[in-house]
């Protein structure tokens, strides 16, 4: 993915929200891994480390965050919890908005770059 020129994405989330994102990613990685070696190689586990260290993430990783939060909300709902799924979906919606805004900025940047160029012929 290309680099984003705006503020670091997850800095827009509160610290408790970033902690929830971290936990959702760890749970997703543990759910899918069959061994400790697989767990350490899992992309969501690695992404959870990036979130904890507040490192920049790309659009694909934002998609993993959204998916992990929504899956966690679905699992919690099936267990009969009421507030956790609401909180997870709220954060997933925030991250989706951030992802969409980043993608729109990238589209505008690309359009501006090629606006002056004409088609062959």
């Amino acid at each position: 993915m290309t680099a984003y020129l705006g503020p670091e994405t997850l800095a827009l989330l509160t610290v408790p929200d970033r902690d929830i994102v971290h936990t959702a990613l760890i749970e997703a990685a543990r759910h899918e891994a069959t061994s400790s070696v697989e767990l350490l190689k899992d992309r969501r586990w690695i992404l959870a480390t990036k979130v904890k260290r507040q490192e920049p993430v790309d659009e694909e990783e934002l998609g993993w965050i959204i998916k992990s939060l929504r899956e966690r909300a679905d699992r919690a709902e099936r267990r009969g919890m009421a507030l956790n799924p609401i909180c997870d979906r709220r954060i997933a919606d925030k991250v989706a908005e951030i992802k969409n805004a980043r993608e729109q900025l990238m589209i505008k940047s690309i359009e501006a770059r090629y606006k002056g160029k004409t088609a062959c012929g």
Side-chain angles (χ1 to χ4, degrees):
M1 293 280 166
T2 57
Y4 173 61
L5 303 175
E8 201 287 302
T9 327
L10 298 179
L12 300 173
L13 297 176
T14 64
V15 173
D17 287 352
R18 282 196 304 270
D19 288 343
I20 290 171
V21 167
H22 177 263
T23 303
L25 290 167
I26 294 293
E27 287 177 6
R30 285 184 176 159
H31 183 71
E32 293 176 7
T34 56
S35 71
S36 57
V37 173
E38 276 187 30
L39 181 63
L40 294 174
K41 291 180 180 179
D42 190 282
R43 291 187 275 176
R44 292 183 189 197
W45 184 273
I46 295 166
L47 178 57
T49 304
K50 286 178 77 172
V51 168
K52 199 65 166 176
R53 294 179 181 166
Q54 297 183 9
E55 295 175 3
V57 295
D58 63 25
E59 287 74 20
E60 183 180 14
E61 292 169 331
L62 288 173
W64 296 341
I65 291 170
I66 295 164
K67 183 178 180 201
S68 296
L69 286 165
R70 290 189 175 148
E71 287 174 352
R72 182 175 181 228
D74 291 343
R75 282 193 305 273
E77 220 168 44
R78 283 192 297 271
R79 285 184 268 161
M81 296 180 182
L83 294 178
N84 290 356
I86 293 170
C87 182
D88 288 347
R89 286 195 178 97
R90 178 186 56 82
I91 298 168
D93 291 343
K94 277 186 191 179
V95 175
E97 286 178 27
I98 292 167
K99 182 180 182 215
N100 290 338
R102 281 178 59 169
E103 289 171 346
Q104 291 303 313
L105 281 174
M106 286 175 41
I107 289 169
K108 288 178 184 177
S109 171
I110 292 168
E111 284 175 347
R113 198 176 331 154
Y114 293 104
K115 195 169 190 168
K117 296 183 180 183
T118 59
C120 295

